[in-house]
Amino acid sequence: MGTPNESRQARVINELRVFIKKVLSDPTIAVKSVDIARKFRSEADSDELIAREISSNTTIRIPEKWSEADRMFLDIIHEVLDDEEALY
């Protein structure tokens, strides 16, 4: 039996695998997610708004209580927008 940390890592990896499969099966998910993040980025509760809107408009479901993988996804979206902003 693995340590709690190994179990947590396995759970995150599994969630990310499911997410990647969804993105690969529907390439519009990435574009929609970034567009949604762009729309709500400057709001005070941007992560909540982004998560809710992505869940409503794509096959990605981000529950009210976020997992580490959900948090990682939202952080990566912000990094993409930061990189995009740095280009201009």
Side-chain angles (χ1 to χ4, degrees):
M1 184 165 205
T3 67
N5 189 43
E6 289 171 336
S7 296
R8 181 185 57 76
Q9 286 177 339
R11 193 171 45 255
V12 169
I13 289 169
N14 189 48
E15 282 186 59
L16 290 172
R17 287 177 53 86
V18 170
F19 172 77
I20 291 167
K21 284 171 59 175
K22 285 182 179 183
V23 170
L24 291 174
S25 67
D26 181 359
T28 66
I29 290 172
V31 174
K32 286 179 187 175
S33 296
V34 172
D35 287 344
I36 289 166
R38 225 180 261 120
K39 177 179 170 184
F40 293 109
R41 185 174 195 194
S42 62
E43 301 293 326
D45 53 351
S46 65
D47 284 347
E48 288 288 334
L49 294 169
I50 292 167
R52 197 174 312 131
E53 191 81 5
I54 288 171
S55 293
S56 295
N57 292 291
T58 70
T59 58
I60 301 300
R61 298 293 169 252
I62 302 173
E64 287 185 29
K65 184 177 180 193
W66 298 340
S67 68
E68 286 184 61
D70 296 324
R71 169 54 55 199
M72 188 181 303
F73 172 59
L74 293 168
D75 289 345
I76 291 169
I77 288 176
H78 286 291
E79 288 176 26
V80 167
L81 294 178
D82 290 343
D83 291 348
E84 177 182 275
E85 202 172 85
L87 293 174
Y88 300 106

